[in-house]
Amino acid sequence: MPRIRHKRLDCSPGCAVEATLELIDGKWKGVILFHLLQGTLRFNALRKLLPNATQRMLTMQLRELEEDGFIHREIYPQVPPKVEYSLTGHGRTLEPVILALKSWGDAHTGFGKSKRAPVAPEQIEAVSETQ
Amino acid sequence: MPRIRHKRLDCSPGCAVEATLELIDGKWKGVILFHLLQGTLRFNALRKLLPNATQRMLTMQLRELEEDGFIHREIYPQVPPKVEYSLTGHGRTLEPVILALKSWGDAHTGFGKSKRAPVAPEQIEAVSETQ
């Protein structure tokens, strides 16, 4: 169940804007959701995509997104453990929001053109993924 | 000039999402931008629309939005001073982002239906507006 974090909001009708932002403005959450829109990703793949996020921070954000019902964590009982993250149906409803943020950022923030190539599966080390 | 706040971002191509969020996720910024999309507002009108924001917090967020080039502050030299806020052309480019956030929040967060009537101009006290 999504956590309730809006008890103190009293700003109708604009509150809906703030309530949405509160759910996605945790550090790196927007980027995580953006990458998961492209498909399922393993923890280490996400780490490669967000090199400046610490493992602890990334884990925390993934946990919150999971608690809010936006992402699903699938653990495969194998050695080494394989953990995959994907968007839930609820998470996918955020697509227009994430794409609007991306589109504006591309046009106005100077982050529009990637200087880094996408991470290829073979670049991702086969290390333990217990996050 | 907009402030540069993204030096530590290294998460292409998703960075554009994070960069946009960093500019609008200050407490109440989304709501302020939403209300200014409807038109110019005096400081006290904004206060009425965001009753839970302190005057200091609201002033701070307005200053940041102004520094980032999203809003314009017009001061009329009269007694009592009249201060109006409006979106700049740059601020108006955020409209699709704000509307996407609003639309999602309306549908998913329980803030879709306002219980409070819009603030009528006559409800706004004619007090000093030096913010």
Side-chain angles (χ1 to χ4, degrees):
Chain A
M1 274 293 291
R3 285 166 298 164
I4 295 166
R5 278 184 259 175
H6 322 297
K7 285 181 185 168
R8 291 210 197 169
L9 291 183
D10 180 13
C11 49
S12 297
C15 257
V17 179
E18 200 71 12
T20 310
L21 277 173
E22 280 199 11
L23 289 166
I24 61 170
D25 74 358
K27 189 75 182 162
W28 309 116
K29 279 184 185 173
V31 189
I32 294 168
L33 291 167
F34 170 75
H35 287 300
L36 291 178
L37 278 174
Q38 336 289 312
T40 299
L41 285 171
R42 293 174 71 164
F43 182 77
N44 283 327
L46 278 167
R47 284 213 70 189
K48 293 271 180 186
L49 289 164
L50 288 83
N52 285 8
T54 62
Q55 180 160 331
R56 187 174 170 278
M57 173 62 79
L58 183 55
T59 301
M60 198 170 76
Q61 301 303 302
L62 286 164
R63 287 286 185 283
E64 287 193 7
L65 288 168
E66 194 182 354
E67 284 172 34
D68 286 333
F70 294 134
I71 66 172
H72 171 69
R73 180 166 53 129
E74 184 76 35
I75 305 167
Y76 296 89
Q78 60 186 53
V79 180
K82 180 177 155 189
V83 182
E84 282 185 347
Y85 292 90
S86 57
L87 287 184
T88 61
H90 184 53
R92 199 154 284 281
T93 64
L94 281 170
E95 183 164 9
V97 175
I98 300 299
L99 295 185
L101 290 164
K102 172 82 165 74
S103 176
W104 193 90
D106 280 347
H108 299 278
T109 66
F111 283 101
K113 289 178 184 170
S114 172
K115 289 175 186 162
R116 285 160 25 83
V119 179
E122 60 272 20
Q123 288 180 272
I124 299 158
E125 298 148 42
V127 298
S128 171
E129 293 185 354
T130 53
Q131 301 304 317
Chain B
M1 274 293 293
R3 285 167 298 164
I4 296 166
R5 276 183 264 177
H6 322 299
K7 286 182 184 165
R8 291 212 200 168
L9 291 182
D10 179 15
C11 50
S12 298
C15 257
V17 179
E18 200 73 11
T20 310
L21 278 172
E22 281 198 10
L23 289 167
I24 60 170
D25 74 359
K27 189 75 180 161
W28 309 116
K29 280 186 185 172
V31 189
I32 293 168
L33 291 168
F34 170 74
H35 287 301
L36 291 179
L37 278 175
Q38 337 289 314
T40 299
L41 284 170
R42 293 174 70 164
F43 182 78
N44 283 328
L46 279 166
R47 285 213 69 187
K48 292 271 180 186
L49 289 163
L50 288 83
N52 284 9
T54 62
Q55 179 161 331
R56 187 174 169 279
M57 172 64 80
L58 184 55
T59 300
M60 198 171 74
Q61 301 303 301
L62 287 165
R63 286 289 185 283
E64 288 193 5
L65 288 168
E66 194 183 354
E67 284 172 32
D68 286 334
F70 294 135
I71 66 173
H72 171 70
R73 179 166 51 129
E74 184 76 35
I75 306 166
Y76 296 89
Q78 60 185 53
V79 181
K82 180 177 155 190
V83 183
E84 282 185 347
Y85 292 89
S86 57
L87 288 185
T88 60
H90 185 53
R92 197 154 286 281
T93 64
L94 281 170
E95 183 164 8
V97 175
I98 301 299
L99 295 184
L101 290 163
K102 172 80 165 72
S103 175
W104 193 89
D106 281 346
H108 299 278
T109 66
F111 283 101
K113 289 177 184 170
S114 172
K115 289 175 186 165
R116 287 160 22 83
V119 179
E122 61 272 20
Q123 287 180 272
I124 299 159
E125 298 149 42
V127 298
S128 173
E129 291 183 357
T130 53
Q131 300 306 315

